[in-house]
């Protein structure tokens, strides 16, 4: 199955959060495909990440590493400039960058734990950066060609699925990301009718993002990054314009907003 429906030539892909976890696994699987010409791997440590260096050596001339901070205007401009210097069009943008916890940032269990600084940090990377990155890359998305914009969202970002509460900041940031890209999908149907915008839930994946919480995951529900990447790329491969602006889990099932 082709990576992108109706694409007639090998794809150029951009993957953020590419130095580890799902992003790295997606890079690895994209480079293993004959219908992918080249991959731009983006993270703050992309040019120094050992795993990406190894991957670049295995695929000479096909993997281009870009060190950039997605939350900075200059970082996003650097990404756009680097890609535009090598190609005139982009067929896949896979945004795997995200933030759930960090020093001074943990999922909240109650309202009393909510902090403005946590909200700002989470929204900067999980919400603002992805949509502003698309804004900067828009000239590379040809209106008449098939393309996919895919973001790692999370089931906890579904408002109607929120029955447990907690995790105020992360839930809100992902819900806002969902709304931004749902809105983008409406606009793209007019301006770029062959571009598909997808929000994707990868399940619980054995990465640093989920590490503090994996002990409570039911048996068989903690996925490897490789499995998650394979499943998500299969969802992308099966998506056409009718799927744009929708929210899907790793198994292809649709998630309510």
């Amino acid at each position: 199955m082709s990576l992108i429906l109706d694409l007639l030539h090998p794809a150029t892909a951009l993957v953020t959060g590419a130095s580890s976890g799902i992003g790295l696994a997606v890079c690895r699987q994209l480079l293993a495909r004959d219908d992918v010409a080249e991959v731009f791997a983006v993270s703050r440590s992309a040019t120094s990440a050992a795993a990406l260096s190894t991957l670049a050596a295995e695929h000479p001339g096909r993997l281009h590493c870009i060190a950039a901070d997605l939350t900075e205007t200059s970082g996003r401009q650097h990404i756009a400039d680097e890609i535009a210097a090598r190609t005139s069009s982009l067929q896949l943008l896979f945004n795997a960058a995200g933030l759930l916890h960090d020093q001074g940032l943990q999922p909240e269990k109650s309202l009393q734990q909510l902090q403005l600084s946590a909200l700002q940090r989470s929204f900067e990377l999980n919400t603002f950066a992805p949509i502003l990155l698309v804004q900067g890359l828009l000239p590379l998305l040809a209106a008449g060609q098939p393309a996919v914009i895919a973001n790692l969202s999370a089931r906890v970002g579904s408002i109607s699925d929120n029955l447990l509460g907690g995790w105020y900041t992360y839930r809100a940031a992902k819900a806002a990301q969902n709304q931004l890209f749902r809105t983008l999908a409406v606009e793209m149907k007019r301006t770029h009718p062959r571009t598909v915008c997808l929000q994707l839930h990868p399940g619980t994946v054995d990465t640093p993002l989920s590490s503090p919480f994996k002990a409570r995951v039911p048996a068989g529900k903690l996925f490897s990054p490789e499995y998650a990447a394979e499943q998500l790329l299969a969802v992308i491969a099966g998506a056409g314009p009718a799927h744009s602006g929708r929210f899907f889990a790793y198994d292809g099932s649709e998630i309510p907003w």
Side-chain angles (χ1 to χ4, degrees):
M1 180 182 292
S2 175
L3 173 65
I4 296 174
L5 192 66
D6 295 332
L7 188 65
L8 300 179
H9 56 84
T12 296
L14 165 63
V15 181
T16 72
S19 58
S20 66
I22 297 174
L24 178 61
V26 167
C27 287
R28 187 176 290 116
Q29 292 187 27
L30 288 174
L31 289 166
R33 300 181 63 107
D34 294 333
D35 58 355
V36 173
E38 56 187 343
V39 176
F40 292 89
V42 174
S43 78
R44 287 178 297 177
S45 61
T47 54
S48 59
L52 285 176
S53 296
T54 299
L55 199 56
E58 294 171 353
H59 300 274
R62 294 181 64 213
L63 180 64
H64 313 292
C65 298
I66 304 173
D69 186 339
L70 293 172
T71 67
E72 298 287 343
T73 301
S74 60
R76 295 189 297 271
Q77 186 61 55
H78 177 57
I79 294 167
D81 290 344
E82 287 290 305
I83 296 174
R86 291 182 176 272
T87 184
S88 60
S89 64
L90 189 66
Q91 286 75 49
L92 173 63
L93 194 170
F94 190 104
N95 181 51
L99 178 65
L100 172 58
H101 59 87
D102 199 359
Q103 186 175 358
L105 176 63
Q106 295 293 328
E108 305 89 354
K109 295 181 180 179
S110 71
L111 178 63
Q112 295 304 314
Q113 295 177 323
L114 193 62
Q115 297 182 21
L116 176 60
S117 60
L119 284 162
Q120 290 171 329
R121 287 180 64 195
S122 183
F123 270 71
E124 277 181 349
L125 183 57
N126 293 319
T127 309
F128 306 150
I131 195 69
L132 292 173
L133 179 62
V134 174
Q135 183 185 61
L137 295 174
L138 198 59
L140 294 170
L141 295 170
Q145 295 182 14
V148 174
I149 299 169
N151 291 293
L152 285 193
S153 185
R155 187 180 292 273
V156 296
S158 167
I159 293 175
S160 58
D161 192 64
N162 182 3
L163 303 177
L164 297 177
W167 290 35
Y168 283 86
T169 294
Y170 191 66
R171 286 184 187 276
K174 288 299 186 180
Q177 183 199 91
N178 289 347
Q179 180 69 289
L180 285 171
F181 280 90
R182 170 74 174 183
T183 303
L184 176 65
V186 173
E187 179 177 349
M188 295 294 261
K189 284 182 180 179
R190 298 191 298 267
T191 63
H192 294 69
R194 301 185 73 186
T195 295
V196 178
C197 299
L198 300 174
Q199 294 297 98
L200 301 174
H201 168 61
T204 304
V205 184
D206 193 3
T207 66
L209 184 142
S210 63
S211 181
F213 317 103
K214 65 184 183 182
R216 63 189 79 164
V217 178
K221 291 297 184 179
L222 180 64
F223 304 139
S224 69
E226 291 74 21
Y227 175 80
E230 180 181 357
Q231 292 293 108
L232 295 172
L233 289 174
V235 174
I236 289 171
H243 300 93
S244 191
R246 294 162 67 181
F247 188 11
F248 295 98
Y250 61 92
D251 59 1
S253 61
E254 191 161 4
I255 299 173
W257 296 114

